[in-house]
Amino acid sequence: MLRTPGREDEEDVASGSRAAPRRAALLRHPRDAQHVARRRLRLRPPGASRAGARHVPTGFLAAITRGQQGHELTEMAELADAGAVGFTDDGLPVSWPGCSARRFSTAALQGVLALHEEDPSLSAGGVMHEGAVSALLGLAGIPSVSESTMIARDTALAGYEGGGSIQHLSARESVIAVEQARAAGVEVTAEGHSAPSALTDDAVRALDTGFKMNPPLRADDDRLALIDALRSGAIDCVATDRPALARGEGAAVRAGADGRHGPRDRLRRPPHRPRAARAPRARPAGRAHEARAPPSSASTHLRCKSGRPQTSAWPICSRSGMWARPATRVAPPTAASPAARSRGGSA
Amino acid sequence: MRGQLISIDDLTRGDIERILGRAESFAEVSGREIKKVPTLRGRTVINLFYEASTRTSSSFELAAKRLSADLLNVKAQGSAVDKGESLKDTVQTLSAYDPAAIVIRSPHVGAAQLVARWSAAAVINAGDGKREHPTQALLDLYTLRRRVGSLEGLKVWIVGDVLHSRVARSNILAFSRMGCEVTVCGPPTLIPREVETLGCQVRYSLEGMGEAHVVYALRMQLERMRGSFVPSLREYAARFQIDGRRLSPQQLLMHPGPVNRGVELAAEVIDSPQALIEQQVESGVVVRMAVLYELLAGGSPGDAARGVQPAEAATEPQPA
């Protein structure tokens, strides 16, 4: 997720796309949709012509609610006309159910809803996963249920009003909630969060704020559940969703900003693993999720190159609804070579 | 000689025994009319306090002065911190005075660790957020050991607001390291999930407290509570207050202070001979002298386990 327009000091198109692997798509997140509407900005991808930017499909997500406050909807139709491929209040949940219901029906016409799932009344003040490590460190916890209860609510609304996409799953409970919704026939897509799929809250023990993130790194059974879900197709893609946040060093864990690691860090090939070692291997993930793609909507989705075996433990592209726009809006990824590995072969 | 005391987890049982032994020898100094030894003469100790404190800051101050160190007190209020200076900049500024030790209290978990990264001085954690308060745990061990002799096999109940308590976390680790059986007890909202992984048992009512040799009551940290952790202090007191009825005469009572009278403790037990609360405050000075001594003049607390010899064994405190 890039930080433009507005916070290019943290991550811009050039730095983000240089870091992105093949088959990735980058989404740019205008923090202030009002700003965009007021100035009549065009939310068009800059394309490969921009100096320093490698060609990576790029699209804009606009905010769902004004000022991301979770109460009033933005002018979704205008924003879609301006080029937004979808909507998100990423970083904050849309906490008011009435607003949530309306945004589903509006967004069904305008684009895709990408939902940050967190019940703030359960996660308030939390800075890391609630579990043994938070008990040891005395840090306030973000329980897994703060995510899964919100997913249960939003998938129920999605079943009533129209589909959506669940952003950055981090917990086993969340995977179960998505699977249950799908089993009930709700058309939702879900993205796994790269960091909790590779690391656990054990990494926070060292109190490095680089491992502070929202959703947080969770326990090992959550990590394994995310990997299993990716294999089975319950999770459609992996998102890094880590803007490289600009906040100087010197922050203690409670005060430190979330993130700090952007696509630069998340998607980089581990240095100890030479390229030659990445022999193409067939993974069940690719076939499984190809088979699961709903035929009715498949044409509007960016897809992995059909029939191609997944060569990465972390397939970066998928049928995720996040990019579900007609191909004229976002160029499909030119998946000409095996997808780059994001994290090592820890999966 | 560079050392640090960030967490009880960094100390072996041998390290703890050594600090407690050293504190015993300083207790003799505290009994004299002139309570001062020249051990740390010419060294600078900085007390960097970002949170309110009476006991900890004053006992560290006394401890440093009794070891003849030069002491600098820096409080967040009234310093450049008020003007928005970051912890890192403050520490680097203070490090320019070449201190031998920095004692840091901060509302943020991990602050002491950061200070240790930025400064060449020995760093002592005097409380970092809700995580740890290792010198409090050491002085509690010292106080209890003076009273009962051996700590091995003692049953210790830690009662109250465990969630918000750095003292509880350090004490669970410290008591269990010394061979005690630790039980934490309180309302479920004030017990962190999976706290038993620290090596203690969990109870949600005072039933069964009769088995305890020592009851360690925690302060209700009203200033740290946001949201309703207990419906009311009255209900909390009715179910979890340690009073004369619940505390049997053979049991010892400890509390890190300051006490909320009538909340976690009833007035009659505070002033009873079973209560070690005053002795805990008294022990604060000698235990902190011992910690300063071990870090600056002896081996660092972690070194005993690693077989490092004290660098300056010659600077033993000279009795008489």
Side-chain angles (χ1 to χ4, degrees), chain A residues 130-132 134-140 205-207 249-255, chain B residues 88 107-111 113-114 117-118 130-131 169 173 192-195 197-198:
Chain A
E130 184 172 80
S134 70
L136 174 71
L137 296 177
L139 286 168
R205 273 179 202 271
L207 293 171
E249 270 195 68
V253 168
R254 201 177 88 194
Chain B
K88 185 177 190 178
H108 300 302
V109 170
Q113 227 152 308
L114 288 174
R117 204 184 300 164
W118 299 323
K130 293 177 284 179
R131 186 189 175 204
R169 257 168 279 271
L173 295 172
R193 288 177 81 87
E194 303 190 33
V195 71
T197 52
L198 269 67

Side-chain angles (χ1 to χ4, degrees), chain B residues 255-284:
Chain B
H255 189 287
V259 178
N260 296 311
R261 276 179 186 259
V263 181
E264 64 265 7
L265 294 181
E268 73 263 19
V269 295
I270 299 172
D271 306 318
S272 74
Q274 297 156 265
L276 298 175
I277 300 169
E278 220 167 281
Q279 289 92 311
Q280 285 173 273
V281 178
E282 221 177 289
S283 309

